[in-house]
Amino acid sequence: MTKTVCVLCTLLLAGNVMCASLNKPAESRMAGYRALEKQRQELLDWAQEHVGAPYWSTQKRINQAKKIRSQMYTQFQDVELWRIGQLQQKIKTLKKGVKNLPFFPFNSLPPKNLSVMAQNDLLLLMLLDIYPDNAANIPAGKLLPFLAKDENLEKYLTDYVDYLESYKQFPACVEKMDHYNQNQIKYATENKRANRRLMSALANGCQKYAQKQMEQKQIQANNARLAQNIRRWQNENKKKKTLSFPFLRGESNFW
């Protein structure tokens, strides 16, 4: 009887966590979360923009940013669960139509298999490190404490989504990205345990390539629109001249 009650409680808890990850929190909650997120980002931006600042001044802001991040995970678990759910859904959506992702082949295991592996934290982290697409099938409530504890893991999964999204749009991005990120990829692949550095290089390189391609497409579209407008203006101007000078149409009674 006691065992049955425990199982029911576990199922109810899992159901609540799943609902929290699917349903967007109230706007008041989102506003509070965004305020903390903005405050944290401003501290991190300051550290990036003031490279020559004294060490203690920079470190103070970085530590403040870490405290705010911890506060976001403790006070806004509903928002974090929803964000994890959004990330998981994005992975599932982006994977459709992509047969093979360079460096990180797909290996999504069934939820039942993952639930067994999730009992061992180290095993689960190793699985995510090699096959990050499995994050889409791990309960959001299970991922939450890992992401709260490890900011680098959160960045790793975010980079994975960025890489997957850019690659899906422009598969050539891996081969044609800038030299800096290509060198980062080379270094990471030579050091087999540098998967997070590899993912960062792939995300940055492919995003830059995708952005450049979209800018070029926009320029081409603008040029085509300009050429079309010029042709239209020329045709309209030609019609006006024809109407103004009838002899151009061969209708003159001048003689």
Side-chain angles (χ1 to χ4, degrees):
M1 181 68 178
T2 305
K3 186 176 181 180
T4 304
V5 172
C6 290
V7 171
L8 287 173
C9 289
T10 303
L11 290 173
L12 286 172
L13 181 60
N16 290 335
V17 168
M18 184 175 291
C19 290
S21 64
L22 292 176
N23 298 325
K24 187 174 182 178
E27 184 54 36
S28 58
R29 296 286 295 168
M30 295 298 296
Y33 181 90
R34 284 194 292 265
L36 284 178
E37 189 176 35
K38 181 182 178 182
Q39 186 180 350
R40 174 176 173 268
Q41 192 58 51
E42 287 174 351
L43 290 167
L44 295 174
D45 289 343
W46 190 97
Q48 290 289 330
E49 294 166 2
H50 297 78
V51 181
Y55 172 81
W56 64 268
S57 183
T58 302
Q59 197 60 38
K60 178 182 178 181
R61 286 171 172 80
I62 291 175
N63 290 336
Q64 287 177 340
K66 289 180 179 179
K67 288 181 180 179
I68 291 175
R69 182 178 183 275
S70 178
Q71 183 181 352
M72 291 163 70
Y73 268 94
T74 53
Q75 294 183 5
F76 292 90
Q77 281 196 8
D78 55 336
V79 179
E80 295 293 358
L81 284 168
W82 176 77
R83 290 179 68 245
I84 293 172
Q86 293 295 106
L87 181 139
Q88 291 176 319
Q89 188 57 48
K90 202 164 187 179
I91 292 175
K92 292 177 182 178
T93 302
L94 289 172
K95 280 181 60 178
K96 296 177 181 177
V98 178
K99 293 182 179 180
N100 185 37
L101 188 68
F103 297 102
F104 290 95
F106 300 136
N107 179 248
S108 288
L109 296 174
K112 288 183 179 180
N113 296 36
L114 284 172
S115 64
V116 174
M117 298 183 73
Q119 303 303 316
N120 186 311
D121 291 353
L122 183 59
L123 184 61
L124 183 63
L125 288 173
M126 287 176 62
L127 178 69
L128 286 176
D129 193 52
I130 302 171
Y131 301 110
D133 60 309
N134 280 294
N137 292 327
I138 297 172
K142 181 65 179 179
L143 278 177
L144 183 69
F146 287 105
L147 298 179
K149 184 179 179 181
D150 190 350
E151 186 175 356
N152 290 325
L153 177 60
E154 182 180 29
K155 183 180 184 301
Y156 181 64
L157 295 180
T158 302
D159 284 342
Y160 177 67
V161 171
D162 291 339
Y163 169 42
L164 183 55
E165 185 172 28
S166 299
Y167 178 82
K168 186 171 185 177
Q169 286 182 294
F170 302 99
C173 69
V174 176
E175 296 179 0
K176 297 183 179 181
M177 68 174 63
D178 59 287
H179 292 298
Y180 172 78
N181 283 298
Q182 284 182 354
N183 290 333
Q184 293 295 308
I185 291 172
K186 183 179 179 182
Y187 172 84
T189 51
E190 290 173 353
N191 295 269
K192 296 182 180 180
R193 301 184 69 179
N195 275 3
R196 296 186 181 187
R197 185 167 182 172
L198 172 61
M199 189 71 79
S200 179
L202 288 166
N204 291 333
C206 278
Q207 278 188 315
K208 286 183 179 179
Y209 180 84
Q211 182 64 33
K212 187 175 180 180
Q213 295 302 307
M214 287 188 286
E215 288 174 356
Q216 289 179 351
K217 283 188 175 183
Q218 187 61 51
I219 291 172
Q220 291 173 356
N222 291 341
N223 290 339
R225 194 178 300 111
L226 178 61
Q228 185 180 16
N229 289 337
I230 291 174
R231 285 194 298 271
R232 186 183 296 114
W233 176 82
Q234 289 175 335
N235 291 333
E236 290 175 354
N237 196 42
K238 186 177 179 180
K239 288 179 181 178
K240 288 179 181 178
K241 286 183 178 179
T242 303
L243 292 173
S244 300
F245 301 98
F247 65 84
L248 292 177
R249 304 196 306 267
E251 300 175 359
S252 174
N253 295 321
F254 183 77
W255 299 108

